[in-house]
Amino acid sequence: MAPGDDADADPADDAALDALLDAYALKDERRTGWQLRGVDEPESVAAHSWGVAYLVLTLGDRFREDLPGVDRDRALRLAVVHDVAEAETGDVATRAADVTADDDATGDAVDREAKVAAEREAMRDLAGPLPERVRDAWEAYEARNSPEAVLVKECDLLDTCLQALRYERGDRYDPERGDPDAFREYDDLDEFFATSEPRLRTDAGEELFASIRERYRAARDR
């Protein structure tokens, strides 16, 4: 039988490629929070994940005093996979009314537990045929008990604020295109800062957040 015939295919390779194709849906999954605000051509979840990884690479050293011993290369692995489950579950927007100071907790514990359970099930499908390091990196991020996971979460929050600043500077959103309820309590893109600030856990993160917010307010009020 000639090379390349189906009989020569490795079923394990087929399963891995199928899992990769499923994960690539992340490139088309739009970030729900921006859609609610009527952002023109909002970023995908995959684009957000790139932003988080880029912040880890470029700003990671600023967190060493807060997170001694942090392994930036390991943090990059966590950043790349931290939202990959959303390729199957979709993106769920975090609203200010649901945020408490203890990281990702929401006002509705049942919804939070259901979200985590759904994402864990999705990772069984998406990472099952792939090397264990993929699932391990995702689990490490979800646990939030390592300096690398904390760094990635800080960068996750800061990436959202930087993106809000870019959208504000570019006049990229229109309330008429969004959900009216999204503007009920917060004007402009203020809610993204309101949801991020209480979840920051490091001095470096808070300092960077303050700088980004100052630039955002200047753009908003121009």
Side-chain angles (χ1 to χ4, degrees), residues 21-155:
L21 285 169
D22 289 341
Y24 267 44
L26 210 64
K27 292 185 175 186
D28 295 317
E29 180 67 35
R30 299 297 169 181
R31 294 262 279 168
T32 306
W34 304 130
Q35 292 178 313
L36 291 174
R37 294 282 165 168
V39 169
D40 181 36
E41 296 184 1
E43 66 170 344
S44 68
V45 178
H48 161 70
S49 295
W50 172 86
V52 174
Y54 197 58
L55 292 181
V56 168
L57 179 64
T58 57
L59 300 181
D61 288 341
R62 298 196 186 192
F63 292 82
R64 290 197 179 278
E65 186 172 340
D66 296 297
L67 304 170
V70 65
D71 184 334
R72 190 174 54 203
D73 289 340
R74 181 169 184 261
L76 281 170
R77 293 199 295 274
L78 271 59
V80 169
V81 304
H82 83 283
D83 273 342
V84 74
E86 293 180 10
E88 188 169 300
T89 67
D91 180 41
V92 178
T94 300
R95 305 306 303 273
D98 296 328
V99 171
T100 65
D102 54 344
D103 200 13
D104 290 318
T106 67
D108 189 335
V110 175
D111 285 350
R112 171 63 183 162
E113 291 173 3
K115 178 177 182 292
V116 171
E119 290 183 349
R120 184 158 280 114
E121 182 177 351
M123 285 305 295
R124 281 195 288 269
D125 296 334
L126 293 167
L130 302 177
E132 288 185 9
R133 62 179 176 270
V134 177
R135 176 71 178 270
D136 290 347
W138 184 84
E139 291 286 0
Y141 173 74
E142 287 296 306
R144 295 291 199 281
N145 58 11
S146 68
E148 292 78 20
V150 174
L151 172 59
V152 173
K153 186 59 189 181
E154 297 286 283
C155 291

Side-chain angles (χ1 to χ4, degrees), residues 195-215:
T195 59
S196 297
E197 185 174 19
R199 294 186 285 165
L200 292 164
R201 292 168 57 177
T202 66
D203 291 339
E206 290 174 356
E207 290 171 6
L208 287 163
F209 171 86
S211 296
I212 298 166
R213 183 174 57 184
E214 181 179 0
R215 293 183 181 211

